[in-house]
Amino acid sequence: MGFEPDPVDSFVAPRVALVDAPLVRIHSECFTGETVSSVRCDCGYQLAEAMRLIQREGRGVIVYLRQEGRGIGLLEKLKAYNLQDMGHDTVDANLLLNHPADARTYGSARAILADLGVDKLRLLTNNTDKIHQLQGHGSDLDIVCHVPMYPRWWSDDADAVEHAADSSVLSELSYSRHLALQKDVMAEADRYLKTKAQRMGHMLSMSPAPQLAATTSFWPLK
């Protein structure tokens, strides 16, 4: 997918040439997961894995939204963490603080993709609400499929864990620490993922983990 300057913008904005449907990750900020490598969630891993998959294809888009804590902000998120330490799951913790389970919206993401000229895409997500919001409200976005984001620590396949990546190259990536997470330290994140699957409708199977392929798989939406 090529990029060319947009002459109508005051700044030189890349515009995506629509040869086919690029990989797109719409990612909400997670300071705890991305910056301090918290193992309470898989957010750091999802961003790093999206970057790796897009880098391998040589094209794609990451839209980074300032929606910390599923839209409640960092301070409220830390309060929710305290409630989780008392035994509540991530959904109940938000509700006890008088917040919705998920306060995120994706109208700005639709606008950003439209500005980039992207109207057909393969969406890197497990989140059904994200898909519904992106396709609702008269949206022209054509999400041809969603690409599941299974945690790599769910797989016992050594080749899948490496994702056929050159380890010498992987070690040089700034986000490599998020791609090297091991099952024995991710039990808390697994509980978080189970809650998202069972209570928030995320497309995650909690049965024995699928074998992760070295290439990007996808689930058609049509």
Side-chain angles (χ1 to χ4, degrees):
M1 179 170 302
F3 295 87
E4 59 184 22
D6 182 354
V8 303
D9 288 335
S10 57
F11 59 94
V12 180
R15 184 169 293 276
V16 180
L18 291 177
V19 176
D20 55 10
L23 280 176
V24 171
R25 170 68 183 170
I26 297 173
H27 189 87
S28 296
E29 176 185 28
C30 179
F31 174 81
T32 51
E34 297 157 13
T35 305
V36 299
S37 301
S38 168
V39 295
R40 286 179 180 261
C41 66
D42 63 330
C43 302
Y45 166 75
Q46 286 199 342
L47 180 59
E49 178 67 355
M51 294 167 71
R52 188 190 70 82
L53 291 171
I54 289 171
Q55 181 185 49
R56 181 156 62 183
E57 287 205 355
R59 57 192 174 186
V61 177
I62 294 177
V63 178
Y64 192 85
L65 302 177
R66 302 300 298 270
Q67 300 192 118
E68 180 76 46
R70 299 199 303 275
I72 68 175
L74 181 57
L75 180 59
E76 293 298 293
K77 175 182 177 178
L78 294 177
K79 293 178 182 178
Y81 276 3
N82 287 336
L83 289 170
Q84 290 175 45
D85 289 339
M86 296 168 63
H88 300 286
D89 66 28
T90 184
V91 170
D92 285 338
N94 276 29
L95 297 177
L96 287 168
L97 291 170
N98 294 317
H99 297 299
D102 192 341
R104 291 174 295 179
T105 60
Y106 300 99
S108 58
R110 289 203 310 271
I112 290 169
L113 291 173
D115 189 60
L116 292 173
V118 176
D119 59 9
K120 184 178 182 180
L121 56 96
R122 290 170 291 146
L123 188 64
L124 287 158
T125 191
N126 301 319
N127 186 348
T128 54
D129 180 59
K130 183 184 296 183
I131 295 171
H132 294 156
Q133 287 199 46
L134 289 171
Q135 291 185 319
H137 307 290
S139 172
D140 293 328
L141 277 180
D142 180 9
I143 304 175
V144 298
C145 66
H146 96 273
V147 180
M149 301 201 73
Y150 291 117
R152 65 167 54 200
W153 61 87
W154 282 9
S155 175
D156 295 325
D157 185 338
D159 292 332
V161 170
E162 289 299 323
H163 279 283
D166 179 13
S167 59
S168 63
V169 173
L170 187 62
S171 65
E172 296 175 0
L173 301 176
S174 62
Y175 50 84
S176 61
R177 70 186 187 280
H178 295 300
L179 297 176
L181 296 168
Q182 300 297 316
K183 187 175 182 64
D184 58 345
V185 299
M186 297 306 292
E188 196 166 1
D190 284 345
R191 289 193 292 273
Y192 171 76
L193 290 167
K194 182 178 180 179
T195 299
K196 290 206 295 185
Q198 294 180 341
R199 302 195 62 187
M200 301 177 69
H202 284 223
M203 294 176 283
L204 288 165
S205 172
M206 306 310 296
S207 57
Q211 296 301 305
L212 302 181
T215 56
T216 305
S217 60
F218 64 90
W219 292 1
L221 294 179
K222 299 178 180 178

